[in-house]
Amino acid sequence: MPPHAADMEAINVRLPLTDREGLFRLAIRDGRFASIEPQPEWIVSERHVPIGSLSLERLGAAAAIDLQGRVMLPGFVDAHMHLDKAYSLPHVGNRSGTLLEAIENYRSAAPSFSKETIRGRIVKAALNAASFGTTALRSHLDVPLMHSRELAMRTIEAALEAREMVSEYVGIQFFPMYYHDPGRERELNEFAAETLRMGIDGVGGAPHLTPDPAGGIDWAFRTALAFDRPIDLHTDESDDPEVKTIDILCDYVLRHGYAGRATAGHLCSLSAMEQGEADRLMGKMASAGIGAVTLPAVNLYLQGRGDRGNVRRGVTRVRELRKAGVRIAAASDNIQDPFHPFGRGDLLQIGLMTAYAAHLAGEEDLYEVLRMLTELPASILGLQDYGVSAGKPAGFVVLDAASAEQALQELPSSRWVYNKSRWIHASETRKEWADPHMA
Ligand SMILES: [Zn+2]
């Protein structure tokens, strides 16, 4: 427990993932939820300081806080980011707006990025995510071994140093996108082994973009098994329904008992397939126990570029995957880089995009969207001790919203983030009218 840990209690808290209507009072001791109790009615208390308009310092010193009916969610979990590339857009463009040009341009520019530059981008992107309420995330890393080993290692070192720097704010898992070229496997084995020993968390990659996708998946499993690590692959990020490495990935997960330890991101081609084949694959994913991650912002931006007229959206079958029994999360993917010029690391924004792109806007759906930003990615990332319940470490975000609906309707910019035994960030929007009565 860090020395700044302070015990605290809060009243008039809404926990929409626990109970949609009710109010709660809760206590935090030694950085953990000590108790969470339903409140029969609204509490009026002089002793409890309203959370709004308190400086972070005063908030940190307050032992009793009134949330005034605001929503508290467990910290957002961003299951798929690219922190090392974030904010590189001014240096790397993408004129066609396609995935292939983004990859090519980034690859050409990579040698010009120093370790300090990459580390700075990772720190900035991670802290921005934390400021919006993300307490844990998984980032893929670009490791262009085809350029040189030194260049690939530069990103690994930058990432591990950056993780250390932000560890009091947000937890990070790193999955390098190892590029499997059958002709250069020995070099890759040696590099992957070293990075996994250095503290890299798992095996990433994008087999559908390599010369031998089946061989690439085989390599990923051999490596993951040898080091007992999870796997997270960019899977079928293509509009072409014939691209279906997910089929092979499922076979390997089933064969090696990797249920709960394998994740497939994107799954764009799944949305372009005819129904029968898509149903077969979604059923297979469910029986294999593969976690899925949809990246709506980047898919809407990059996919469908070749279509005229009825343009495909690229976003995978979110509702159907859910119905088939596949755990599916929504995540940020790229932020302000050649793969995606927008985004800011705010998972609530991604939640709204998911609601649009996947037609998830019914009353039940909104709660599911919030779960896709919290509990589901936490489970996919294998996070232990996650959630707002007694005994768990307190990591949460308070939104300036009175309900789940309002959180997605207003995307409130006023948020208060608590992690690792203290308030780590507060942002509050001041609204003033020239004529005060207009408020
Ligand atoms: Zn990605």
Side-chain angles (χ1 to χ4, degrees), residues 12-25 37-42 68-72 363-364 367 371 401-405:
N12 299 326
V13 182
R14 287 195 201 279
L15 301 172
L17 297 184
T18 306
D19 178 316
R20 293 179 188 180
E21 307 296 332
L23 287 165
F24 291 83
R25 73 183 297 157
E37 291 159 11
Q39 261 179 229
E41 55 190 15
W42 187 277
Q68 299 175 307
R70 291 185 177 86
V71 163
M72 174 189 286
E363 200 191 330
E364 287 300 310
Y367 295 93
R371 269 187 213 99
S403 64
E405 288 88 346

Side-chain angles (χ1 to χ4, degrees), residues 80-82 140 177 234 237 266 295 333-334:
H80 183 133
M81 301 184 85
H82 291 267
H140 297 265
M177 289 183 289
H234 284 64
E237 190 176 357
H266 292 293
L295 296 311
D333 211 2
N334 300 71

Side-chain angles (χ1 to χ4, degrees), residues 361-412:
E363 200 191 330
E364 287 300 310
D365 296 333
L366 293 179
Y367 295 93
E368 197 55 31
V369 168
L370 293 182
R371 269 187 213 99
M372 289 177 74
L373 314 176
T374 53
E375 294 163 0
L376 286 158
S379 147
I380 289 170
L381 264 59
L383 301 184
Q384 307 292 327
D385 269 353
Y386 176 84
V388 178
S389 58
K392 302 268 174 76
F396 59 84
V397 55
V398 174
L399 305 171
D400 193 15
S403 64
E405 288 88 346
Q406 213 177 50
L408 287 163
Q409 287 158 344
E410 304 286 344
L411 301 187

Side-chain angles (χ1 to χ4, degrees), residues 195-346:
T195 58
L196 291 164
R197 274 188 224 108
M198 285 166 75
I200 287 300
D201 300 273
V203 178
H208 67 287
L209 296 172
T210 62
D212 173 16
I217 292 172
D218 185 72
W219 178 86
F221 273 84
R222 274 186 278 135
T223 308
L225 285 162
F227 288 85
D228 191 23
R229 300 300 170 91
I231 287 182
D232 189 336
L233 300 177
H234 284 64
T235 304
D236 306 338
E237 190 176 357
S238 162
D239 292 317
D240 179 356
E242 293 309 313
V243 176
K244 42 180 125 168
T245 63
I246 184 63
D247 207 357
I248 309 169
L249 181 56
C250 286
D251 288 335
Y252 273 81
V253 173
L254 287 162
R255 189 177 314 153
H256 295 291
Y258 245 58
R261 299 189 79 195
T263 307
H266 292 293
L267 299 162
C268 305
S269 68
L270 187 66
S271 69
M273 281 172 208
E274 54 95 10
Q275 191 64 41
E277 181 63 350
D279 285 337
R280 178 183 75 82
L281 288 170
M282 290 188 287
K284 195 168 173 183
M285 285 178 71
S287 9
I290 289 186
V293 182
T294 185
L295 296 311
V298 171
N299 293 154
L300 286 168
Y301 173 74
L302 291 174
Q303 302 302 313
R305 290 277 171 169
D307 293 347
R308 290 291 168 266
N310 197 359
V311 176
R312 281 171 286 189
R313 313 208 277 176
V315 179
T316 197
R317 299 175 184 245
V318 176
R319 300 178 72 101
E320 291 171 68
L321 281 162
R322 226 176 91 194
K323 209 170 152 207
V326 177
R327 286 172 306 154
I328 179 161
S332 286
D333 211 2
N334 300 71
I335 296 170
Q336 300 175 34
D337 69 13
F339 296 80
H340 181 227
F342 310 123
R344 53 180 195 176
D346 178 4

